[in-house]
């Protein structure tokens, strides 16, 4: 990169990408997964050892890369031919011997034809696990910033928005609002100053998709934001990242700095007069700060509590200016859509939901990890083909999607095609992409209680139904799970669900009852069996 | 000044026209249509936190707070229905159950907005179990008392102190059920040096949470009209 200078045009960028690709082809490359799970298994040490050991091998470079997905089988390492799994931190010598063919390796080789990989479709994660996240070269060689430069030099702002509209992309932050429509609202809003914001507050328990995207491929998020800023007419943007993600923060900051240095961000990008300054803001770990109006208050330096909408941020956002807020994964989809066209993207998925979705697959499942699947894939395919089925040989019971705002889906609905509307129709939601698989040993009242406790302690306290209602609901759930609950308690719980859902100020309160409502819908007998009344019934019948 | 546009709408079936930018609550009050409120104080920013003023908008499934929602052309608002009454009763129940509102021994007995709301919403009992938290009474200030047991966290005191008095002595700490009104850096009120002892917070407090020392229950009637008066004076100056 040392000889690289400011890039002024699309042609210069493409030439550079070609040179970099040639350079890469001439080398063989070993990539070591340093995602969340593999790092905890010692992949950093392994990578260091590998670099040491391979020093005298000609034309070989060892690269630390982002999450390769199959976390359950870490540490994962890949060379030009094979993927190796289940490695330990001191396996460097063995691994190199296996790669040279001087040591038996079949036990460690992971075929890429297994359903875990073959059933996935990678758009957002196309580079994750292959490129060095800290290397701008790697990103450019993978067609990085090409979409931004072609948008700026060849497309009107309205054409960019049309392309996003055509793609059918919907917000990946949970709500599923059509992205193109949001962009055109901000574009049309009147104001001399506009902002773009990336919501990277990812607070759902168990979710780590946005984190992985930022850690594995930070430039992709920045490029998406830059295209958005160009399209809506913004020249300033913020990435609101939770402080618990120090590595993501570091990588994003470094990526911004490098992109600025080479003219991919900053003043007068691509000689067009379009400028964009990006900054990082840290969230202090309050779940509610992921809600867009609370996030804006937090960036403005105020207490992070939601404000009633309307007005929507698109009209009156940061410091009262028109503001575009999108999620990390939403932005990560933008560059490929501009590169390949909206029509290409719209071919993937279902009628109402286009493209792919990244999920964090966890719980009692064999292949836990991070996956990207086309919309419309069935839950069964995700859980039993990609996920490899249940981990402990027990029966499948339910899958929880949408985190604390979502619900539990039972086996009768395993053939459900995953998209925004279908998940809603069974009382759950897409959410940000957590997917927790539960087997027959899971107790549904406990599951509901767990999420209610989360909502209760994350409620900001501004409005009455959420502040007090979540506590009342939690207390009833606690009572029922201790077998002290009555029919009357259950009826009150149901009434509270209705009130809190319909009267709370923001999405946190409005969706807090979902885990209860959905478990009541599909597993009501589990609640009923715990009630005082049914206990009496059993003991009486025993005595008789 | 630019001329303001007029919007026409329906409230409870009545045809009404009013100026663009008005809230549903403002327009309803202009026409003597009652909508219950607790966190709204005329002259302070509306925050939409008590949720009692929720109204139905025909054609939209969502309920919206009248105090923060602006009118628009052709909207049709329903301010009262069986569903709304049921929701308002439950919200008021939640408010009562949250802290210790024992009216019989309260300085505001008989002239408390919270207590009055029970009658307005035809309630003779609370629908959820009381939570009985242990909370403090701060009587360290020379002239005023803060009894956290009777606070409904409407934030009127915080807003008046910030928006009108400009002292910002009061604020909210914590979140969720642990939210609490504080003075300065969570000090005793008596030690809060930014407090000007103006007493505006006491006047806007809808309950007996804020009261004046040395006054009998019958003398604790609150006066709020000063807020919008001061606000309009301020706007004229600016
Ligand atoms: C309580 C709550 C928490 C939220 N947390 C997040 C979050 O962590 N990340 C996110 O992108 N969106 C989150 N959202 C959704 C945002 O408010 C907003 O809809 C989203 O950032 C818009 O981006 P999108 O259109 O790209 O999805 C949250 C919403 C609520 C109500
Ligand atoms: S719904 Fe909950 S989180 Fe949202 S404003 Fe109300 S109290 Fe705060
Ligand atoms: S002290 Fe009074 S005015 Fe302040 S928040 Fe509590 S109830 Fe509202
Ligand atoms: S008066 Fe509107 S929410 Fe309280």
């Amino acid at each position: 990169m040392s000889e690289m200078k400011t890039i002024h045009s699309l042609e210069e960028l493409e030439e550079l990408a070609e040179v970099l690709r040639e350079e890469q082809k001439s080398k063989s490359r070993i990539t070591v997964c340093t995602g969340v799970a593999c790092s905890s298994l010692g992949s950093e040490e392994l990578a260091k050892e590998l670099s040491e050991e391979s020093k005298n091998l000609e034309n070989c470079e060892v690269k630390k890369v982002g999450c390769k997905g199959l976390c359950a089988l870490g540490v994962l390492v890949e060379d030009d031919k094979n993927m190796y799994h289940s490695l330990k931190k001191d396996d460097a010598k063995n691994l190199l011997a296996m790669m040279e063919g001087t040591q038996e390796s079949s036990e460690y080789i992971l075929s890429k034809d297994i359903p875990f990989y073959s059933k996935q479709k990678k758009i957002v994660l196309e580079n994750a696990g292959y490129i060095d996240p800290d290397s701008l070269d790697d990103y450019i060689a993978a067609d990085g910033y090409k979409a931004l430069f072609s948008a700026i030099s060849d497309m009107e702002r309205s054409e960019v928005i049309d392309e996003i509209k055509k793609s059918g992309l919907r917000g990946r932050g949970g709500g599923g609002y059509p992205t193109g429509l949001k962009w055109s609202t901000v574009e049309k809003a009147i104001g001399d100053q506009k902002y773009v914001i990336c919501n990277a507050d990812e607070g759902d328990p168990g979710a780590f998709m946005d984190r992985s995207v930022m850690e594995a491929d930070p430039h992709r998020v920045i490029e998406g934001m830059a295209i958005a800023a160009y399209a809506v007419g913004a020249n300033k943007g913020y990435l609101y990242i939770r402080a618990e993600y120090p590595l993501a923060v570091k990588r994003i900051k470094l990526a911004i700095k490098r992109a600025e240095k080479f003219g991919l961000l900053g003043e007068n990008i691509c000689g067009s007069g379009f400028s964009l300054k990006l900054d990082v803001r840290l969230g202090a770990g309050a779940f509610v700060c992921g809600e867009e109006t609370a996030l804006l208050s937090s960036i403005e330096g105020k207490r992070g509590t939601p404000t009633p909408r309307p007005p929507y941020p698109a009209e009156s956002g940061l410091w009262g200016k028109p503001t575009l807020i999108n999620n990390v994964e939403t932005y990560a989809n933008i560059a490929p859509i501009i590169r390949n066209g909206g029509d290409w993207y719209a071919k993937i998925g279902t009628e109402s939901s286009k493209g792919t979705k990244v999920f964090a697959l966890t719980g009692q499942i064999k292949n836990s990890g991070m996956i990207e699947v086309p919309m419309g894939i069935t839950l069964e395919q995700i859980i039993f083909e990609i996920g490899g089925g249940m981990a402990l040989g027990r029966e499948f019971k339910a899958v929880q999607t949408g985190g604390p705002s979502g619900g539990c889906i039972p086996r009768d609905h395993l053939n459900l095609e995953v998209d925004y509307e279908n998940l809603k129709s069974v009382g759950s939601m897409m959410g940000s992409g957590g997917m927790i698989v539960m087997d027959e040993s899971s107790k549904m009242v406990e599951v509901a209680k767990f999420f209610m406790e989360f909502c209760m302690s994350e409620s900001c306290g501004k409005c009455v139904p959420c502040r007090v209602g979540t506590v009342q609901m939690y207390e009833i759930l606690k009572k029922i799970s201790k077998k002290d609950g009555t029919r009357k308690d259950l009826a009150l719980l149901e009434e509270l669900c209705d009130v809190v859902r319909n009267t709370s100020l923001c999405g946190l309160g409005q969706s807090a009852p979902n885990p209860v409502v959905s478990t009541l819908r599909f597993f009501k007998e589990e609640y009923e069996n715990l009630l005082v009344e049914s206990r009496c019934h059993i003991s009486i019948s025993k005595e008789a | 000044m630019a001329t303001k546009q007029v919007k026409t709408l329906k409230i409870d079936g009545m045809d009404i026209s009013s100026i663009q930018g008005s809230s549903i609550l403002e327009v309803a009050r202009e026409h003597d249509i009652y909508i219950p409120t607790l966190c709204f104080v005329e002259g302070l920013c509306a925050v939409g936190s008590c949720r009692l003023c929720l109204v139905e908008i025909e054609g939209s499934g969502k309920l919206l707070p009248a105090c923060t929602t602006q009118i628009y052309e052709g909207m049709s608002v329903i301010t009262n229905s069986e569903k709304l009454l049921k929701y308002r009763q439950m919200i008021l129940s939640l408010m009562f159950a949250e802290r210790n509102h024992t009216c019989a021994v309260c300085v505001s007995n008989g002239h408390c907005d919270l207590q009055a709301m029970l009658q307005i919403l035809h309630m003779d009992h609370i629908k959820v179990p009381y939570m009985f938290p242990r909370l403090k009474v701060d009587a360290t200030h020379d002239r005023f008392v803060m009894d956290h047991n009777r606070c409904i966290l409407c934030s009127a005191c915080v807003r008046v102190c910030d928006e009108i008095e400009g002292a910002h002595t009061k604020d909210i700490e914590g979140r969720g059920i642990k939210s609490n009104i504080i003075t300065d850096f969570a000090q005793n009120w008596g030690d809060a040096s930014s407090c000007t002892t103006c007493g505006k917070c006491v006047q806007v407090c809808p309950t007996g949470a804020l009261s004046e020392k040395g006054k009998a229950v019958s003398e604790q009637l609150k006066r709020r009209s000063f807020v919008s008066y001061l606000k309009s004076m301020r706007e004229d100056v600016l």
Side-chain angles (χ1 to χ4, degrees), chain A residues 13-30:
Chain A
L13 183 75
E14 286 185 325
E15 267 167 41
L16 176 65
E18 203 44 54
V19 172
L20 291 168
R21 275 194 288 266
E22 284 305 316
E23 207 179 287
Q24 281 185 358
K25 264 189 222 151
S26 68
K27 278 188 197 153
S28 66
R29 180 174 248 242
I30 300 176

Side-chain angles (χ1 to χ4, degrees), chain A residues 174-431:
Chain A
Y177 191 82
T179 305
L181 195 58
K182 201 189 261 188
W183 287 23
S184 73
T185 312
V186 181
E187 199 268 331
K188 285 195 199 105
I190 300 159
D192 43 352
Q193 172 74 60
K194 292 179 188 176
Y195 296 99
V196 286
I197 290 178
C198 174
N199 187 341
D201 195 52
E202 198 170 52
D204 288 24
F208 54 87
M209 300 76 53
D210 292 349
R211 170 184 181 168
S212 296
V213 171
M214 287 185 287
E215 288 184 1
D217 199 2
H219 284 286
R220 162 178 301 265
V221 182
I222 291 168
E223 185 179 1
M225 279 184 86
I227 295 169
Y230 170 73
V232 303
N235 62 8
K236 174 93 198 128
Y238 295 95
L239 294 106
Y240 187 85
I241 311 176
R242 57 194 326 226
E244 289 91 332
Y245 288 174
L247 183 61
V249 171
K250 195 178 119 205
R251 293 210 163 134
I252 290 281
K253 280 188 173 165
L254 182 72
I256 293 173
K257 223 157 121 189
R258 306 228 73 187
E260 278 174 351
K261 188 160 172 205
F262 296 101
L264 305 162
L265 273 184
E267 294 293 317
N268 195 15
I269 302 168
C270 191
S272 64
F274 165 62
S275 303
L276 177 64
K277 177 94 184 87
L278 289 184
D279 264 318
V280 172
R281 286 287 176 275
L282 299 188
F287 176 60
V288 75
C289 284
E291 195 281 335
E292 54 191 25
T293 60
L295 185 150
L296 292 173
S297 297
S298 176
I299 294 183
E300 290 175 5
K302 300 192 208 130
R303 189 176 150 87
T305 52
T307 50
R309 299 177 308 179
Y312 287 88
E315 304 146 21
S316 169
L318 200 58
W319 293 293
K321 308 289 185 204
T323 303
L324 174 73
I325 304 185
N326 276 131
N327 161 264
V328 173
E329 192 182 329
T330 312
Y331 283 126
N333 273 297
I334 301 300
I337 291 174
I338 297 297
R339 258 190 275 126
N340 304 312
D343 290 329
W344 161 81
Y345 195 82
K347 282 202 195 93
I348 309 160
T350 67
E351 193 51 42
S352 69
S353 313
K354 302 298 183 189
T356 60
K357 179 76 193 84
V358 181
F359 287 103
L361 199 53
T362 54
Q364 286 128 349
I365 187 158
K366 261 194 202 125
N367 300 334
S368 57
M370 194 177 57
I371 61 168
E372 180 174 1
V373 289
M375 297 278 189
I377 190 172
T378 64
L379 286 169
E380 182 151 25
Q381 284 173 308
I382 294 182
I383 296 164
F384 291 94
E385 295 180 22
I386 296 177
M390 310 309 291
L392 303 166
R394 297 202 200 105
E395 284 284 310
F396 169 85
K397 180 166 183 182
V399 54
Q400 210 279 349
T401 70
S405 319
C408 296
I409 306 169
R411 60 176 315 129
D412 300 350
H413 292 286
L414 271 177
N415 58 1
L416 187 88
E417 292 180 353
V418 172
D419 76 7
Y420 289 96
E421 275 66 32
N422 287 344
L423 286 171
K424 238 187 215 148
S425 75
V426 293
S428 187
M429 63 183 271
M430 183 74 78

